[in-house]
Amino acid sequence: MAHFQIRDLCFSYPASQGKPSLENINLSIEKGEYIVLCGKSGSGKTTLLRHLKTVLTPHGKRTGQILFNGTPIDQVSLHDQAAKVGYVMQDPDDQIVTDKVWHELAFGLESLGVDQKTMRARVSEMACYFGIAHWFHRDVAELSGGQKQLLNLASIMAMQPEVLILDEPTSQLDPIAASDFLNTVRKINLELGTTVIITEHRLEDIFPYADRAIVMDGGRVIADDMPRNIGKLLYEQKNHMFAAMPTPVRIFYGAKGEGDCPLTVREGRTWLSRKFSGMPGINCISDAPMEEKVPDPALSLKDLWFRYEKDGLDVLRGVSMEVPKGSLYAIVGGNGAGKSTTLKAICGTCRPYRGKVKVFGRPVEKYRSAELFRNCLAMLPQDPKSLFVRKTVREDLMEMTEDQNQIAQIAALCEIDHLLDRHPYDLSGGEQQRSALAKVLLTSPRLLLLDEPTKGIDSFFKEKLASILRRLQENGITVIMVSHDVEFCAKYADRVSMFFDGQILTTDTPQRFFGNNSFYTTAANRMSRHVFSMAVTAEAVIDLCKQKDRE
């Protein structure tokens, strides 16, 4: 018997004017399967997942039927759904309800009425299994984003669910934490037999190990097959979803590869070794060495020190950096290293107790607030929902300006013109990110701070975002971006800095930075470095493969 059977499911939101968000969905999900659900932002992935648990089902018009273990899901008791269907949301803070780690682990079990003896056994087992025993008694507020998401997963698994649903669970995690988290999810599927249904924009760590990949577009299922077949199908159909495929798949087909398509970095490395067997490698460094001294920087930080509590540990420990005018400057590093705190220090939200912040050569404390945040500096925070205060996206944008032409231009630029009459909280994570960016851009900043701007957005809008940022740079705007998206930074940044332990350790050009790293680098570099050293993007590897083939 299938865990879920979805028959002719259609759904429309109240404000969608009859346009369906889900259209004729027919799926069967077997027990123990590992399913990856992929598609553009706004394609209906989250809406579909929320229909698999009635307490999360969005308000709107629905037709069709969903069966859970052969029973219509609206006839399954809320107690059984809570016990058997676990759901991990995109934003870890949306799901945490208590103040202590051990309280959070026990909360679900208490809600189900589990006895004390069983509860203690399960909580201790999960704490050991997920490696969180050493922060078992800590306050949840002290945890990093990665630790919070791991806590969410552990608290769900303590209830021993039959199905685990994950909605872009790694969108706020650094690459290493994301890989560890997804490896844990895979282990749960393999060792416990838990059915896993997961949506992700970063497919590198899940696509090769899934039993099936389901591709959605415009509320419809356009492909449902084994991952290896999905890549081939999308390539042959010249479907735009091919751009979202893992790097080894895109390189293989982009370089006109023959034979079985590699899905993992290891398979890609083996394929390249066979393809260029006996040929000398290529050192493809093309970046000029970075100039250390920046004349007339847009932003200058000198020896910043900051702590959140008087007797607490320092979060920033002597941060110094200079950002050239008109550049796209990326800051990468692990969760909790101090990256977001640095952005808050720049805009004055956090006041360092030592050090200097200069914006366009002027100390930040010399600016009046209205002067600093209008036509000078703007920040897109990590949580875009914090910017939404009105009932529609249009009203939120009108808070910034009454100029309807300017609103229309920015809305078109960010591709949200069709979302203007929607409530911001009804949008997908990627749509919220684009709407928040539009609101920030309406302040006409000369220095733009972006905290995880690619979080929750698909590969298609990432390209659009890159073109927006390039256009801003051409108009003299300086962009500083904190990001876990190493692929985006490698492709579009002008400079990249590594943040660790409250300070910037190294800064270099993207090619030199990522080309010299072993773990904090791109999939393209890990796959090809034995043949093409310092190639850090899929496009660069494809070009080099074609060049080698012509020789």
Side-chain angles (χ1 to χ4, degrees):
M1 181 186 297
H3 252 144
F4 284 104
Q5 287 179 297
I6 304 172
R7 299 171 178 168
D8 298 319
L9 178 64
C10 297
F11 176 79
S12 300
Y13 285 98
S16 63
Q17 299 176 339
K19 183 181 178 182
S21 296
L22 297 176
E23 192 171 359
N24 299 323
I25 304 293
N26 287 279
L27 289 172
S28 179
I29 298 172
E30 302 298 323
K31 292 186 177 181
E33 276 195 302
Y34 189 143
I35 304 289
V36 57
L37 188 63
C38 46
K40 294 175 69 173
S41 180
S43 63
K45 303 185 301 298
T46 297
T47 302
L48 176 59
L49 292 188
R50 286 181 174 270
H51 276 81
L52 303 182
K53 195 162 183 172
T54 54
V55 294
L56 298 176
T57 300
H59 178 63
K61 182 182 178 181
R62 187 183 82 172
T63 60
Q65 190 179 42
I66 301 174
L67 303 179
F68 177 65
N69 289 334
T71 303
I73 195 162
D74 50 9
Q75 296 178 21
V76 179
S77 70
L78 294 181
H79 179 281
D80 284 350
Q81 287 190 50
K84 295 178 180 179
V85 182
Y87 198 108
V88 178
M89 298 179 181
Q90 183 178 140
D91 187 345
D93 288 316
D94 285 349
Q95 199 160 351
I96 291 173
V97 294
T98 66
D99 58 344
K100 296 285 186 181
V101 170
W102 70 272
H103 285 168
E104 191 67 28
L105 285 170
F107 180 81
L109 297 172
E110 288 176 335
S111 303
L112 294 176
V114 174
D115 64 86
Q116 286 284 333
K117 184 177 180 181
T118 303
M119 190 186 306
R120 287 173 179 169
R122 289 200 196 173
V123 165
S124 59
E125 180 189 31
M126 288 302 119
C128 293
Y129 185 85
F130 288 94
I132 61 179
H134 61 289
W135 36 278
F136 187 74
H137 294 284
R138 286 176 61 184
D139 289 341
V140 170
E142 298 175 356
L143 305 182
S144 69
Q147 289 171 325
K148 287 178 181 178
Q149 198 65 299
L150 198 62
L151 175 59
N152 280 334
L153 180 60
S155 61
I156 291 294
M157 291 308 300
M159 294 186 284
Q160 299 180 348
E162 296 178 8
V163 182
L164 180 61
I165 301 172
L166 305 105
D167 186 11
E168 295 183 31
T170 68
S171 63
Q172 298 193 42
L173 307 187
D174 65 74
I176 296 172
S179 181
D180 289 343
F181 182 91
L182 293 172
N183 285 337
T184 302
V185 171
R186 184 174 174 234
K187 191 176 178 184
I188 288 169
N189 172 253
L190 291 174
E191 297 185 4
L192 304 181
T194 307
T195 302
V196 172
I197 309 168
I198 183 170
T199 68
E200 263 294 337
H201 288 308
R202 298 193 296 193
L203 296 176
E204 310 286 350
D205 291 313
I206 59 174
F207 201 75
Y209 310 111
D211 297 306
R212 283 161 57 206
I214 298 171
V215 184
M216 294 187 67
D217 190 21
R220 290 175 170 267
V221 172
I222 62 170
D224 178 1
D225 207 334
M226 293 168 50
R228 208 176 295 273
N229 296 339
I230 288 288
K232 183 180 180 181
L233 176 69
L234 296 177
Y235 175 75
E236 291 176 345
Q237 293 180 349
K238 294 182 169 53
N239 191 296
H240 55 260
M241 265 304 297
F242 180 76
M245 291 294 100
T247 298
V249 176
R250 289 186 287 120
I251 290 176
F252 178 82
Y253 286 109
K256 310 297 182 186
E258 297 178 354
D260 289 337
C261 172
L263 291 182
T264 65
V265 167
R266 181 180 181 181
E267 289 178 358
R269 193 183 302 117
T270 301
W271 167 71
L272 282 176
S273 296
R274 287 200 308 266
K275 183 177 176 67
F276 299 117
S277 176
M279 297 185 185
I282 296 178
N283 186 340
C284 51
I285 185 70
S286 59
D287 280 353
M290 187 190 72
E291 294 183 13
E292 296 294 332
K293 186 65 178 173
V294 178
D296 192 23
L299 174 74
S300 173
L301 306 183
K302 187 173 181 181
D303 199 30
L304 296 192
W305 289 76
F306 174 81
R307 63 181 63 156
Y308 283 100
E309 297 176 359
K310 184 177 180 181
D311 298 322
L313 296 174
D314 287 310
V315 179
L316 304 184
R317 297 158 42 82
V319 177
S320 296
M321 60 186 274
E322 292 185 325
V323 179
K325 285 183 179 177
S327 66
L328 174 53
Y329 192 108
I331 302 174
V332 300
N335 288 96
K339 306 184 301 299
S340 296
T341 303
T342 299
L343 294 189
K344 293 174 184 176
I346 294 169
C347 60
T349 308
C350 295
R351 295 281 185 180
Y353 66 84
R354 189 192 308 168
K356 291 288 184 184
V357 179
K358 289 186 177 181
V359 176
F360 297 109
R362 186 176 169 188
V364 72
E365 62 271 14
K366 299 290 185 181
Y367 286 90
R368 296 190 307 275
S369 181
E371 181 186 10
L372 182 64
F373 294 108
R374 177 61 69 172
N375 303 323
C376 181
L377 184 152
M379 177 173 169
L380 177 65
Q382 192 171 122
D383 181 7
K385 293 194 292 292
S386 64
L387 294 184
F388 300 132
V389 295
R390 300 294 182 184
K391 291 183 179 179
T392 67
V393 174
R394 188 189 304 277
E395 291 176 12
D396 256 309
L397 299 185
M398 288 179 65
E399 268 211 327
M400 313 309 294
T401 178
E402 295 290 332
D403 188 335
Q404 294 298 320
N405 287 332
Q406 187 182 8
I407 288 175
Q409 289 173 1
I410 293 295
L413 183 69
C414 295
E415 296 184 0
I416 60 165
D417 31 10
H418 63 296
L419 304 173
L420 292 177
D421 296 318
R422 298 271 298 275
H423 194 291
Y425 281 63
D426 287 340
L427 306 181
S428 71
E431 290 168 339
Q432 288 179 341
Q433 197 78 347
R434 283 147 49 190
S435 301
L437 176 62
K439 188 171 184 178
V440 166
L441 290 177
L442 284 172
T443 65
S444 303
R446 290 188 292 147
L447 176 61
L448 180 61
L449 310 180
L450 304 175
D451 195 354
E452 294 292 341
T454 63
K455 180 190 70 177
I457 67 174
D458 55 62
S459 57
F460 315 98
F461 191 75
K462 283 181 186 179
E463 293 185 12
K464 182 68 175 179
L465 174 64
S467 69
I468 292 171
L469 298 181
R470 284 292 181 223
R471 203 173 308 164
L472 295 175
Q473 287 180 260
E474 290 168 4
N475 292 329
I477 295 171
T478 306
V479 181
I480 301 174
M481 174 178 69
V482 164
S483 182
H484 292 314
D485 192 338
V486 295
E487 316 287 340
F488 188 88
C489 295
K491 192 172 181 180
Y492 299 112
D494 298 309
R495 293 189 178 200
V496 182
S497 286
M498 181 70 177
F499 219 100
F500 177 75
D501 194 28
Q503 54 190 313
I504 289 176
L505 295 185
T506 181
T507 302
D508 214 328
T509 61
Q511 190 177 28
R512 292 176 184 272
F513 179 89
F514 292 110
N516 286 317
N517 286 344
S518 297
F519 298 102
Y520 227 98
T521 187
T522 62
N525 182 245
R526 292 198 305 272
M527 173 177 161
S528 68
R529 64 197 314 164
H530 65 298
V531 178
F532 310 121
S533 63
M534 307 299 282
V536 298
T537 66
E539 292 75 14
V541 176
I542 290 170
D543 288 342
L544 289 163
C545 285
K546 291 178 177 177
Q547 177 185 322
K548 276 268 196 180
D549 286 338
R550 289 193 296 266
E551 291 176 357

